[in-house]
Amino acid sequence: MNSELKPTIVLVHGAFADASGWTAVIKNLQRDGYTALAPANPLRSLAGDAEYLRAVLATIEGPVVLVGHSYGGAVITNAATDIQNVVSLVYICGFALDEGEPVLQALGLGGGHSALGEHTLVRPYPGAAEGDADGYIDPAYFKELFCDDLSDEDAAAMAAAQRPAALNTLGTPSGVPAWKTIPSWFLIGSDDRTIPPEAHRAMAERAGGIAVEIESSHVAMISHPDAVSKLIVDAAKNAVPA
């Protein structure tokens, strides 16, 4: 591929995490000559988070490969609609929602089940709408649900530093999905206990995406950065002519 045609890789984190989770993947991409950007996802509302990402995308010239982890997948699904320079979508254990579908509903696709809602701690935040609050994964269950293939020490540190998401992000119906017009790639973690693999397979199938499944927890970009990087590069190479 002509280096001048290499797209910018924009990496969007999800709930209970932050952009630092992409560090190993970013290093791989940079070694391969790609420009990478991992903006902070506000985690306040699906529409607002998507609008924020659209503002970021408006500052980037040339083609973009948009990558979303977990709830970040829901954000890229909404943000990329009608954005002409987004050439591919990559879902890393991420939500590829359909129109009108909220995150909580998508968790049950394919007959899957997640215990995430059973182990969520709620804390208030200033300016929250009535009935809304910040949701955290209970640290006692964080490793089991989120990152079971990381060390106990790393999991405990991530649990302590997790970024909460407003609860409304889980119940808001999604808009027109960008995957209906933009090619998509999926990395599915067979040991994912946050998004059931059955649900992720169902999302990949209805999107007509290219799916790769590996033995990974929900945080494949941390536990398997080489596999994640390879899928992103494959998406980039197949989206931009040589």
Side-chain angles (χ1 to χ4, degrees):
M1 183 194 303
N2 186 325
S3 61
E4 293 182 357
L5 294 178
K6 282 188 174 180
T8 298
I9 313 297
V10 177
L11 305 146
V12 183
H13 68 82
F16 320 120
D18 61 29
S20 67
W22 295 112
T23 298
V25 171
I26 290 170
K27 290 178 180 179
N28 285 344
L29 294 172
Q30 290 175 337
R31 279 194 292 266
D32 286 342
Y34 288 91
T35 297
L37 176 65
N41 186 350
L43 305 178
R44 295 293 84 184
S45 70
L46 181 54
D49 297 342
E51 191 62 28
Y52 174 82
L53 181 57
R54 288 172 71 91
V56 172
L57 295 174
T59 70
I60 301 172
E61 295 185 2
V64 170
V65 171
L66 199 49
V67 185
H69 171 248
S70 193
Y71 167 70
V75 176
I76 71 171
T77 295
N78 285 266
T81 302
D82 297 328
I83 301 294
Q84 299 302 314
N85 63 327
V86 176
V87 293
S88 59
L89 304 170
V90 184
Y91 294 90
I92 306 301
C93 302
F95 288 100
L97 302 177
D98 205 348
E99 186 172 6
E101 183 178 61
V103 165
L104 287 176
Q105 182 178 324
L107 286 171
L109 292 171
H113 171 73
S114 172
L116 182 65
E118 301 163 25
H119 302 296
T120 301
L121 300 180
V122 176
R123 296 186 173 103
Y125 69 87
E130 184 176 355
D132 199 15
D134 267 337
Y136 298 76
I137 297 176
D138 184 339
Y141 295 91
F142 191 89
K143 185 177 192 295
E144 175 186 339
L145 291 175
F146 203 68
C147 55
D148 201 35
D149 51 0
L150 301 185
S151 69
D152 290 348
E153 183 180 43
D154 286 344
M158 287 177 63
Q162 62 179 298
R163 281 193 58 199
L167 295 177
N168 80 80
T169 61
L170 305 178
T172 302
S174 188
V176 176
W179 48 257
K180 288 198 171 181
T181 56
I182 301 173
S184 57
W185 280 256
F186 291 78
L187 188 134
I188 300 167
S190 61
D191 298 324
D192 191 341
R193 296 188 183 98
T194 298
I195 299 179
E198 298 92 337
H200 204 187
R201 293 181 196 119
M203 286 185 270
E205 183 176 358
R206 74 181 178 191
I210 296 171
V212 173
E213 187 161 335
I214 64 172
E215 293 183 10
S216 175
S217 72
H218 190 56
V219 294
M221 69 286 188
I222 300 175
S223 59
H224 296 83
D226 291 345
V228 170
S229 302
K230 181 181 184 305
L231 186 66
I232 294 170
V233 170
D234 288 347
K237 288 181 176 179
N238 281 280
V240 181

